[in-house]
Amino acid sequence: MRTTTLVLLLIFFIPGAFAQKQPSKKKTQSPQKQSESQKTASAPTPATQDDDRDKDKDKDPWKALQYRLIGPFRGGRVVAVAGVVGQNDTYYMGAVAGGVWKTTDGGLNWKPVFDKTKDASPAIGAIGVSESDPNVIYVGTGEACVRGNIVGGNGVYKSIDAGATWKFVGLADTHAVGRLIVNPRNPDIAFVAALGHPFADNEERGIFRTQDGGKTWEKVLYKDAKTGGIDLAFDPTNANIIYAALWQVRRTPWSLDSGGPGSGLYRSADGGTTWKQLKAHGLPETVLGRIGVTVSGANPNRVWAVVEAEKGGIFRSDDSGETWHILTDDHRFRQRAWYYSHIFADPKSADVVYILNTTAYRSNDGGKTFTSIGAPHGDNHALWIDPTNPKRLINGNDGGATISVNGGASWSSENNQPTAQFYHVVTDNRFPYYMYGAQQDNSTVAIASASPNGAIDRPDWYDVGGGESG
């Protein structure tokens, strides 16, 4: 016992005795310096802080969990579409809360191309593909069909590699974009119709122009902080002639005030540098609301407009907007005008024009009569017509995007686009468990968290009735 105790004591005391014999190599520090040294010694180094964070991350009980797509594989609301001239199977569509999607096989399969864009809003309001260089694409974020539950945008993004990568190019506070058009002969020139904040006044609204590929933007048409841009159209034969619509609108969580002195239709003859307001001479002289405008590719003097007003409807001008006459005030084409008011002229026939509302319509007789073109879903918001082949169409509606190559006689499926909007979801207690939700403007859907055979990429889903309207 004694021997063991002595050894332990020696081991304990010898280091201390040895230390006392060593000469001191440190200078005496002042109390202030000693205090600073103590603080420095006690503070963890950045590496130590990183190590601590890594340890905390390792303790995270959710670390092993990852999001995966379970569907349903059917589309949600789309207000932005575009095709590519000369590439008959290539199209783009923008979901109002689901980013940009691309198909290269005529709509059989869609792939997301915007998901990895840093800090970008998923709400797509407008898409513009350059005709002269289809690798160049501009996207305006933020939906301008101002529902009370819209997702806000954060500016304009550009791709120079056909959607593979994207770069932010400005106009961050535009919030909602109604239209984006690219000069057909120069991909560096583009125009943005920026609606602005639907719920508040702001200055970054109106019509903007870039002439250097998005490096800089000029506000070329502006009314006031309550009024924004909603539509744009080139004269197909002369890109220096541009038509633009401004819209005064205010959303609140409980109301919508569409129209006011700021709303109006304009034309520029010098590439957007100066503008002339087109008013009276057949247009309604009361308060105007939302306006859609388009120009015939077969006869550039023929301009069409759908106008929200007390005596609104579809109007036509045959002298480049100097005088107008009303074609129809049919309620089918002007109901819920703040949500629709979309009009598109055929690029080859002066008498053909499309009007989009709850149904998509076409006139073949200069606007005297209209018939449905059988789009597969209601609430139609977007249309692109190939300027070289008018039978080639892509339509955007509240059920997604759908393509026709025979002038609307038949359409591709919307049951391959997982872009549906769900406002609420719930789960049950079965195994594998199911989730339930009401899709915007579609039925309520039930979908398994995994397929019975164990697959997790395309689980079963089915309608259970009901749905979310609007």
Side-chain angles (χ1 to χ4, degrees):
M1 282 293 287
R2 290 179 180 175
T3 304
T4 304
T5 303
L6 179 60
V7 172
L8 290 172
L9 289 172
L10 285 171
I11 292 172
F12 183 77
F13 283 109
I14 283 175
F18 179 77
Q20 290 176 355
K21 292 180 182 179
Q22 302 304 309
S24 175
K25 295 182 181 180
K26 294 182 179 180
K27 296 181 181 179
T28 304
Q29 293 180 326
S30 66
Q32 181 178 356
K33 290 184 178 180
Q34 288 178 353
S35 176
E36 292 174 353
S37 298
Q38 290 170 356
K39 290 180 181 178
T40 303
S42 61
T45 63
T48 303
Q49 291 175 346
D50 290 340
D51 292 342
D52 291 342
R53 281 195 290 266
D54 290 340
K55 290 177 182 178
D56 292 339
K57 194 181 295 183
D58 291 337
K59 297 176 183 178
D60 185 352
W62 312 111
K63 181 182 178 182
L65 298 181
Q66 294 182 346
Y67 281 104
R68 59 185 171 85
L69 175 64
I70 64 171
F73 288 83
R74 66 180 183 185
R77 190 164 76 254
V78 166
V79 300
V81 295
V84 179
V85 176
Q87 298 179 25
N88 289 346
D89 293 328
T90 301
Y91 302 84
Y92 297 87
M93 62 103 163
V96 297
V100 180
W101 295 69
K102 180 179 182 178
T103 179
T104 56
D105 56 15
L108 293 177
N109 296 279
W110 291 89
K111 294 182 179 180
V113 295
F114 203 63
D115 288 7
K116 296 182 180 179
T117 307
K118 185 179 179 182
D119 299 327
S121 168
I124 308 303
I127 298 175
V129 179
S130 168
E131 288 185 31
S132 58
D133 182 358
N135 289 314
V136 177
I137 310 164
Y138 296 82
V139 162
T141 59
E143 178 188 6
C145 294
V146 288
R147 299 170 60 91
N149 54 2
I150 59 172
V151 179
N154 61 353
V156 177
Y157 292 78
K158 180 184 178 184
S159 174
I160 58 173
D161 51 17
T165 60
W166 298 85
K167 179 182 178 181
F168 172 73
V169 291
L171 303 182
D173 201 34
T174 50
H175 197 87
V177 174
R179 186 77 64 202
L180 196 160
I181 58 175
V182 184
N183 186 297
R185 295 175 182 80
N186 187 342
D188 287 336
I189 300 176
F191 291 82
V192 169
L195 186 62
H197 287 230
F199 295 90
D201 294 357
N202 80 307
E203 294 295 327
E204 196 162 83
R205 55 169 74 212
I207 307 299
F208 292 84
R209 177 183 66 186
T210 181
Q211 299 184 92
D212 54 15
K215 294 176 183 177
T216 60
W217 294 88
E218 308 165 79
K219 187 190 293 184
V220 293
L221 179 59
Y222 174 79
K223 187 71 174 181
D224 55 44
K226 302 178 185 297
T227 304
I230 189 60
D231 207 0
L232 284 163
F234 284 121
D235 175 335
T237 65
N238 182 355
N240 284 319
I241 300 175
I242 309 158
Y243 295 82
L246 299 184
W247 182 24
Q248 181 176 323
V249 62
R250 173 58 52 83
R251 253 289 180 195
T252 73
W254 57 87
S255 68
L256 172 72
D257 186 9
S258 178
S263 298
L265 184 60
Y266 294 79
R267 183 186 65 216
S268 173
D270 56 10
T273 300
T274 61
W275 297 82
K276 173 186 177 181
Q277 185 171 2
L278 306 175
K279 56 184 179 179
H281 300 290
L283 289 174
E285 298 188 41
T286 55
V287 173
L288 304 180
R290 181 168 180 165
I291 301 170
V293 62
T294 187
V295 186
S296 170
N299 176 7
N301 292 319
R302 178 162 288 184
V303 185
W304 312 79
V306 53
V307 181
E308 179 188 11
E310 181 181 355
K311 296 183 179 180
I314 299 177
F315 293 79
R316 194 181 85 192
S317 171
D318 290 315
D319 54 10
S320 302
E322 292 298 322
T323 60
W324 298 81
H325 64 277
I326 190 167
L327 299 170
T328 177
D329 62 356
D330 192 321
H331 180 69
R332 293 176 299 165
F333 312 137
R334 52 193 297 244
Q335 60 179 314
R336 228 175 161 197
W338 60 269
Y339 195 46
Y340 303 107
S341 298
H342 311 295
I343 192 165
F344 302 89
D346 187 277
K348 296 294 186 180
S349 173
D351 286 331
V352 177
V353 66
Y354 294 80
I355 184 77
L356 305 185
N357 203 282
T358 55
T359 301
Y361 300 92
R362 177 174 58 211
S363 173
N364 294 318
D365 56 12
K368 296 176 183 177
T369 61
F370 288 83
T371 57
S372 170
I373 61 171
H377 197 280
D379 291 349
N380 295 264
H381 297 286
L383 186 68
W384 178 85
I385 310 170
D386 187 335
T388 64
N389 176 15
K391 290 187 177 296
R392 184 174 165 237
L393 314 168
I394 178 170
N395 168 246
N397 52 62
D398 276 15
T402 188
I403 294 163
S404 176
V405 295
N406 52 19
S410 60
W411 299 87
S412 63
S413 175
E414 294 178 322
N415 290 328
N416 54 8
Q417 306 157 33
T419 55
Q421 288 181 298
F422 288 91
Y423 301 143
H424 302 284
V425 293
V426 295
T427 62
D428 64 15
N429 295 320
R430 75 173 96 178
F431 183 83
Y433 66 87
Y434 271 64
M435 293 193 296
Y436 305 83
Q439 181 184 344
Q440 187 271 330
D441 207 20
N442 217 315
S443 65
T444 298
V445 68
I447 190 163
S449 58
S451 293
N453 62 7
I456 62 174
D457 57 338
R458 291 291 289 263
D460 298 333
W461 64 276
Y462 59 87
D463 290 326
V464 293
E468 182 70 35
S469 64

